[in-house]
Amino acid sequence: MLLKFAFQDFIEDRKFRNTTSVNIQNHKVLLGGFIDYCILNEVINVEDVSSGHVKSFLMSCQEKGNGASTINTKLQKIRAFLNYMVEEGMIKENPAKKVKRLKEDVKINVFTDEQIQQMLGYYRGLKRREKSYFAYRGYMMIVTLLGTGIRRKEIINLKWSDVDLTNLTLFVFGKNRRRETVLMTEKLVKELSAYSLFCQRHFKTLGEYVFVDSKNNSMTDNSIMLVFQNLQKKMNFSDVRVSPHTFRHTFCHRMAMSGMSAFAIQKMMRHENIAVTMRYVAMWGNDLKEQNDKFNPLNTLDI
């Protein structure tokens, strides 16, 4: 089968499987680069793709400055494509399975208390001076992300009907497309209640979605990206990216540092596999050492 048609067939299959538009676009860009590379090097049919072609493509990406994380992501997309070709009977085995992932220097940045206060202070100031909806929305987004650790797509799709202020819970559709329960604290419920009243006064009616645009319609991937890009420019943090995922990492980090068990963190983060949770916990080993050095009971004993 011609590679270009196999690629098109794969994309159509992802759409049929209800893959998100973001992932579809990632497949088109990251996997599309590999398809173009193969065709340029006269590998026209999917049956002709070898592990050597996969390696040489990834090496060329490395030479262009791609880091280990990007290389591994591209390899993941290539493997998914070739696995699909195996499923469809186009090839007998996946040649990309023989290509090993690169070792990554894993470091996940999180916000400090000072940075969190700076961001909240920025929106508090706007709320006092302008009393604009965008100031209230920005403040409430940060508080919600920090208080629940929900994902970018989940906060975009969050509806008021999903918010149970009485039982202190949120309902979201997670990564696996299942309806999941997220716990809230009384502090977050108080903030959401005040925000709800402001929205009713500002728009004259409470819309369907919790976070909306100027016309009371749901936000898009692009509009929420612009919110955090603007906040990044205002804060000018040099060591951490301002994004919904950084807030999620911060949420996880604070739970790990508080001494919460890995099992409980897994449930709070809604990780399907506890191995994912353990990777996060292991990353903050240095922080745990600092906490142990500071608070170990032996510090107060005269021995």
Side-chain angles (χ1 to χ4, degrees), residues 52-65:
H53 295 127
V54 177
K55 286 180 184 177
S56 60
F57 167 70
L58 296 178
M59 285 175 65
S60 71
C61 293
Q62 245 181 335
E63 291 168 1
K64 292 176 183 176

Side-chain angles (χ1 to χ4, degrees), residues 162-179:
D162 299 323
V163 180
D164 188 340
L165 298 175
T166 303
N167 294 308
L168 281 68
T169 53
L170 297 176
F171 298 101
V172 299
F173 286 92
K175 253 186 172 181
N176 52 14
R177 308 266 174 119
R178 285 203 307 261
R179 195 165 187 253

